[in-house]
Amino acid sequence: MSKFSEIINKDIPVLVDFYAEWCGPCKTMSPILKQVKDNLQDKVSIVKIDVDKNQKLAAKYQVKGVPTLVLFKNGKQVWRQSGVLQKNELLSIITQAN
């Protein structure tokens, strides 16, 4: 848990993708997240968290469905949404958080 706190406590936005290997929509999100990272490069950090392997963390952030995306800035949650989002939606949300 403390390592996760270090990861999300950055000056740049940190987008956390809570996902599961068995989840179809999560597989859809992977290439979208890669495009977002390619676009924003060092202006965002993207972290993938497998809810099956990190159940305590998923419970702490009340992740009920996957994929759930949570955006952190300086360790604080600034946005979250479940389900698949398009690249442009994510780019706009992350840019606003910067």
Side-chain angles (χ1 to χ4, degrees):
M1 289 277 195
S2 65
K3 188 173 180 215
F4 184 75
S5 296
E6 285 172 35
I7 290 169
I8 62 171
N9 210 340
K10 293 186 177 173
D11 291 338
I12 61 166
V14 179
L15 183 65
V16 180
D17 173 23
F18 288 97
Y19 78 102
E21 289 293 331
W22 46 264
C23 160
C26 299
K27 291 178 175 62
T28 304
M29 275 312 301
S30 274
I32 295 170
L33 291 173
K34 185 181 181 325
Q35 291 170 359
V36 167
K37 181 65 177 167
D38 289 348
N39 269 46
L40 295 175
Q41 305 206 341
D42 59 355
K43 292 186 183 88
V44 68
S45 178
I46 297 178
V47 181
K48 292 178 75 67
I49 302 285
D50 184 329
V51 294
D52 293 327
K53 294 180 182 152
N54 299 280
Q55 291 177 351
K56 281 185 182 158
L57 195 59
K60 178 181 177 186
Y61 288 97
Q62 300 172 340
V63 175
K64 305 277 190 255
V66 286
T68 293
L69 299 170
V70 184
L71 188 65
F72 294 92
K73 179 87 189 266
N74 297 318
K76 291 182 179 59
Q77 180 178 311
V78 293
W79 172 88
R80 77 180 281 155
Q81 189 169 324
S82 295
V84 175
L85 278 100
Q86 296 310 310
K87 179 182 88 170
N88 290 341
E89 288 177 274
L90 277 173
L91 287 173
S92 143
I93 290 159
I94 294 165
T95 306
Q96 286 171 10
N98 240 339

